[in-house]
Amino acid sequence: MDILAYYPIYMPISLYTGGIEDNQRNGWGRQVFKTGDIYEGNWEHDKPSGKGKLTLTDGSYYEGTFNEFGISEGIFRHKLGASFEGLFKYDRFMKGKFRFRDGEFFIGSWKLNKELNVRYLVSGTLYCNDGNTIEFKGRVTRSGHCEV
């Protein structure tokens, strides 16, 4: 086992500063990617693992728990104000609360998402700003704020 060392690693595509063990990122570290995205948090065997935050160049960010599949539980805040808090799989949200920037929100389960503006709700409830709620079951795509 190597002694844990803290020093920057310079690579042509990114910059890492943090813990190194057996020539791999381990412990707390900060990775600045070539794209400008930044991951700060725990590393294990050269991969983000445990608590961390991934900040994207546009200002959006994920914060929570990371595993071998990406973020597993936490919050994603989009630069325009929408957010999702809950469980993720392969960096896609699966179950939790999606809040639109107008304040309306879904609580439920998703099967697929490809872009922030497209939602495939498997089941859940839409909570409207006017106090109404709408229950969903089956494959639903939200196309308008509480307009059904």
Side-chain angles (χ1 to χ4, degrees), residues 65-119:
T65 305
F66 289 75
N67 63 23
E68 66 270 18
F69 304 112
I71 190 166
S72 61
E73 184 173 0
I75 188 163
F76 170 73
R77 291 200 190 276
H78 189 269
K79 67 177 180 176
L80 298 178
S83 66
F84 176 81
E85 185 170 3
L87 301 176
F88 295 76
K89 187 172 184 182
Y90 303 111
D91 296 331
R92 299 187 187 277
F93 40 86
M94 301 302 291
K95 185 175 185 178
K97 182 178 186 176
F98 183 91
R99 181 175 297 277
F100 298 92
R101 64 183 180 181
D102 66 2
E104 294 175 351
F105 60 93
F106 275 132
I107 295 179
S109 299
W110 284 259
K111 190 166 186 176
L112 173 69
N113 80 340
K114 291 195 178 214
E115 299 174 19
L116 186 62
N117 294 329
V118 178
R119 301 284 167 245

Side-chain angles (χ1 to χ4, degrees), residues 13-15 30-40 53-60 62:
I13 59 169
S14 62
L15 170 68
R30 183 175 193 262
Q31 177 84 43
V32 180
F33 298 95
K34 183 180 182 180
T35 61
D37 298 343
I38 300 169
Y39 172 77
E40 284 187 271
K53 182 176 182 179
L54 176 64
T55 305
L56 308 177
T57 55
D58 70 1
S60 303
Y62 292 97

